[in-house]
Amino acid sequence: MKIDFETGIRQLPGIGDKRAAMFARLGLTDTGSLLYHFPRGYQHRGDIRLLNDVSDGDVCAFMLTVSSRPVTALLQKHMTVTKFTAFDDSGHCTLTFFNQNYVKNIFTVGAVFRFWGKISVRGTRRELSSPQYEAVTEGIPLPEFKALYPLTKGLTQNIVSALIGNVLSRIKDGIPGYIPAAVREKYSLCSASFAFNAIHFPESYEAINLSRDYFIFEELYILALAAGSSKKAMRRSVAPKLTVSRTQYKKFLSAIPFSLTAAQERSINEIYADLGAETPMNRMLSGDVGSGKTICAAAAVFCAVLCGYQSVLMAPTEILAGQHFDDLSALFESFGIKTALLTGSAKASEKRLIYERLSSGELQFVIGTHAVISSGVRFAKLGLVITDEQHRFGVAQRAALSEKGIGTPHTLVMSAT
């Protein structure tokens, strides 16, 4: 079967309905979204350390040979512990695994494994407790780095990594590049194929940096193209004028448990200036994780609702949507602003109730995943659309969200790039 960026997750080998639903909770429904599911960090497992060269609490990689047969003992409350010893050129180490009886069939005396974990050093005794491991096979090199991905219940690092590796091996040179070759050459960027392989399976820190440079540039490049193509259309559109009094704004400030930074104050003032105009706001709010983008977005929602309009915030995953709901629902409820969380995993009865409350105007603010652009969602008076992590949503998806209301709503995009 030919694989491209539009191939559904369910069509990939080894993916049934249950596992596809797990990936969907992360916003991963096709190979394109899967390949753009970037690691949150890496373990440098190729940096092998000797047992006698590490300190208590170090987290690192060791190349060890199994020197004793694993023995399993029964502990209290039906727990088991399996122990054996292994060595390198500098010394010996005890390896301990809890409730993993099956490892006794994996670690045979004389076999060599690469272990990754936190080492405990007590005098001359060294111990690794439940480390990660990879068998060493002659002629087959182990990867230098191990990517660590954002996960959801039921998915493991190995499952996600294996599926991404399978897709990359099959799609090969069919990876689309949004940046023209001339532009890549001008700015010394790598190819799209190299970038995707290096971000998921890097061989060096240099490869990681090259891939990150590519994807940062790609996002900005697409944003620039989208902004240029839509500028004229936006100027012809009319959006509701949304304003909030200084007294009302002070009430909002008094309800949050911290003082705004100068950058947050400036961003909110610029957002309010855009909301007060009839031209639809089309603003991107950029900042590192933890820089306070969410509270700036909350100030925009507060303004829209006070002016009688509904707001929606779309996040790429159920986890992130849930975090936003936990952070904002209590704040808005204190002002009598009704808020709801809408995700794909919600029960059908819960979804129908939210649909009814949105279409009637009773519900003023909804936070959710792609579920907010489903066919059943209709807003009575949508005035503000917010999307989090813009690079995870296509232009068509954001357009579909904006079209859920009557007229043209204001748009705010939050990006961590």
Side-chain angles (χ1 to χ4, degrees):
M1 183 186 72
K2 183 180 178 181
I3 288 181
D4 56 30
F5 266 37
E6 304 300 323
T7 302
I9 288 281
R10 182 64 181 82
Q11 298 173 260
L12 298 177
I15 303 298
D17 291 338
K18 186 175 180 179
R19 186 159 289 178
M22 295 176 188
F23 279 101
R25 287 201 295 270
L26 291 172
L28 311 180
T29 56
D30 51 34
T31 55
S33 58
L34 178 69
L35 293 185
Y36 275 99
H37 187 61
F38 296 145
R40 57 176 173 79
Y42 301 91
Q43 296 172 347
H44 190 184
R45 296 189 179 184
D47 183 18
I48 303 298
R49 307 286 295 277
L50 290 174
L51 290 170
N52 281 356
D53 291 343
V54 296
S55 301
D56 182 51
D58 284 352
V59 179
C60 43
F62 303 93
M63 198 73 76
L64 305 178
T65 302
V66 178
S67 57
S68 71
R69 184 174 59 84
V71 176
T72 299
L74 181 64
L75 303 179
Q76 293 180 346
K77 297 182 179 179
H78 307 291
M79 288 185 63
T80 63
V81 59
T82 302
K83 290 190 175 186
F84 61 94
T85 58
F87 67 93
D88 63 13
D89 291 339
S90 70
H92 284 75
C93 177
T94 299
L95 292 103
T96 304
F97 292 85
F98 294 94
N99 292 332
Q100 298 180 62
N101 301 3
Y102 58 87
V103 300
K104 63 186 179 184
N105 299 318
I106 296 174
F107 298 111
T108 57
V109 175
V112 182
F113 289 83
R114 184 172 73 178
F115 294 94
W116 173 275
K118 179 188 288 187
I119 192 161
S120 172
V121 179
R122 297 291 183 272
T124 59
R125 296 177 58 188
R126 286 162 174 75
E127 181 176 3
L128 283 169
S129 181
S130 299
Q132 298 176 52
Y133 54 89
E134 300 159 286
V136 176
T137 304
E138 187 176 353
I140 303 177
L142 292 173
E144 187 78 8
F145 291 83
K146 172 70 174 179
L148 302 176
Y149 295 94
L151 300 174
T152 189
K153 185 177 180 181
L155 292 181
T156 66
Q157 296 292 346
N158 287 341
I159 290 173
V160 176
S161 180
L163 186 61
I164 291 174
N166 181 281
V167 169
L168 284 173
S169 68
R170 297 177 67 182
I171 200 169
K172 294 183 180 178
D173 296 331
I175 295 177
Y178 298 110
I179 307 174
V183 176
R184 285 195 292 104
E185 291 174 7
K186 180 179 179 179
Y187 293 99
S188 302
L189 298 171
C190 63
S191 68
S193 179
F194 178 91
F196 277 107
N197 280 279
I199 200 75
H200 293 293
F201 302 100
E203 296 181 356
S204 65
Y205 285 111
E206 180 185 9
I208 294 173
N209 291 333
L210 286 172
S211 63
R212 284 174 173 169
D213 288 345
Y214 175 89
F215 289 115
I216 290 172
F217 190 98
E218 181 189 73
E219 180 174 350
L220 294 175
Y221 184 77
I222 293 173
L223 277 173
L225 291 178
S229 64
S230 63
K231 188 178 294 183
K232 290 183 179 179
M234 292 296 289
R235 285 175 177 170
R236 290 194 297 267
S237 302
V238 177
K241 294 180 67 173
L242 309 177
T243 58
V244 62
S245 71
R246 190 65 188 173
T247 300
Q248 292 169 325
Y249 180 54
K250 285 183 177 179
K251 288 182 179 180
F252 173 79
L253 295 179
S254 66
I256 59 179
F258 55 86
S259 298
L260 297 180
T261 65
Q264 290 167 343
E265 283 271 19
R266 183 174 64 254
S267 297
I268 291 174
N269 288 335
E270 291 175 358
I271 290 171
Y272 277 180
D274 287 350
L275 293 176
E278 290 186 347
T279 301
M281 177 177 71
N282 190 21
R283 176 175 290 273
M284 182 174 74
L285 184 63
S286 182
D288 294 335
V289 174
S291 61
K293 299 186 297 294
T294 303
I295 198 62
C296 296
V301 172
F302 180 74
C303 176
V305 173
L306 258 61
C307 292
Y309 286 84
Q310 295 168 301
S311 298
V312 57
L313 192 162
M314 182 167 67
T317 68
E318 291 198 3
I319 293 174
L320 191 54
Q323 289 174 348
H324 283 314
F325 182 76
D326 292 340
D327 292 340
L328 299 177
S329 58
L331 171 65
F332 286 121
E333 290 293 342
S334 68
F335 291 106
I337 296 173
K338 295 180 176 61
T339 306
L341 176 65
L342 178 60
T343 64
S345 63
K347 295 180 180 178
S349 58
E350 295 174 351
K351 291 179 181 178
R352 284 195 297 271
L353 180 59
I354 292 175
Y355 296 163
E356 293 171 1
R357 296 177 68 202
L358 284 173
S359 62
S360 69
E362 176 193 350
L363 189 58
Q364 297 149 303
F365 181 35
V366 63
I367 300 169
T369 56
H370 294 74
V372 299
I373 59 174
S374 60
S375 58
V377 175
R378 286 289 181 272
F379 292 87
K381 202 175 182 183
L382 182 60
L384 175 64
V385 170
I386 303 170
T387 57
D388 194 359
E389 296 297 345
Q390 181 271 343
H391 63 279
R392 297 291 303 278
F393 297 110
V395 174
Q397 290 170 311
R398 297 195 300 279
L401 185 54
S402 295
E403 290 169 1
K404 290 291 183 179
I406 299 172
T408 304
H410 296 282
T411 301
L412 179 65
V413 172
M414 296 192 291
S415 174
T417 300

